[in-house]
């Protein structure tokens, strides 16, 4: 059973949800030193993340995000604070995406398909498409 579970429904569609997930992955890599990898699928993607004391995944679908994280013994004491920070960051990205005319981010993000190359940040992209941080 995960220590943290967050579900967020949305109406963005898979291409835009992928961009939000890539933006989120870049943010947690930068701010929390998490190593992230993206596994693309036909109907959904999985962003796997980890560092000492935490591991988890973010399922990215056309109509929802599901995040599950397991915390180690030391970080477990801060699970409510960590969950609140993750929720705040994800909700801020979703709120920005829901605004009409909101910027789309640095790129259109990955396109559907199976997992392929790994970029310098550890993200996996479809062959021929570099992860956002590598662009």
């Amino acid at each position: 059973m995960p220590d943290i579970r967050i579900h967020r429904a949305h109406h963005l569609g898979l291409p835009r949800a992928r961009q939000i997930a890539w933006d989120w992955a870049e943010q947690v890599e930068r701010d929390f030193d998490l190593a992230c990898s993206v596994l693309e699928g036909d109907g959904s993607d999985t962003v796997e993340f980890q560092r000492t004391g935490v591991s988890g995944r973010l399922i990215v679908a056309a109509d929802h995000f599901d995040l599950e994280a397991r915390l180690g013994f030391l970080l477990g004491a801060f699970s409510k604070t960590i969950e609140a920070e993750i929720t705040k960051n994800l909700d801020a990205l979703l709120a920005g995406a829901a605004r009409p005319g909101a910027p789309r981010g640095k790129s259109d993000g990955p396109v559907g398909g199976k997992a392929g190359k790994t970029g310098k940040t550890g993200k996996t992209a479809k062959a021929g498409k570099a992860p956002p941080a590598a662009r």
Side-chain angles (χ1 to χ4, degrees):
M1 188 71 162
D3 297 310
I4 297 173
R5 179 172 285 172
I6 299 169
H7 175 85
R8 289 293 181 269
H10 63 76
H11 302 288
L12 300 172
L14 189 54
R16 185 68 182 118
R18 282 182 168 140
Q19 181 61 50
I20 298 296
W22 283 65
D23 291 347
W24 180 84
E26 287 179 340
Q27 183 179 17
V28 297
E29 282 181 328
R30 180 182 61 247
D31 296 347
F32 303 108
D33 200 30
L34 290 172
C36 296
S37 61
V38 177
L39 307 170
E40 290 185 46
D42 292 329
S44 67
D45 295 348
T46 302
V47 178
E48 295 177 338
F49 54 90
Q50 68 177 356
R51 65 166 277 173
T52 303
V54 63
S55 65
R57 66 184 182 168
L58 173 66
I59 304 296
V60 182
D63 62 351
H64 70 275
F65 290 104
D66 277 318
L67 183 137
E68 295 180 350
R70 299 225 17 109
L71 303 176
F73 178 73
L74 294 175
L75 289 178
F78 302 101
S79 65
K80 295 298 179 197
T81 303
I82 293 168
E83 182 173 2
E85 187 68 20
I86 292 169
T87 299
K88 180 181 83 171
N89 293 344
L90 187 57
D91 286 349
L93 288 169
L94 284 169
R99 284 192 315 263
R104 293 192 50 101
K106 297 178 207 141
S107 71
D108 289 330
V111 230
K114 302 295 182 215
K117 295 183 186 178
T118 300
K120 73 178 184 180
T121 61
K123 294 190 176 96
T124 304
K126 184 175 179 181
K129 191 85 166 170
R135 293 183 190 152

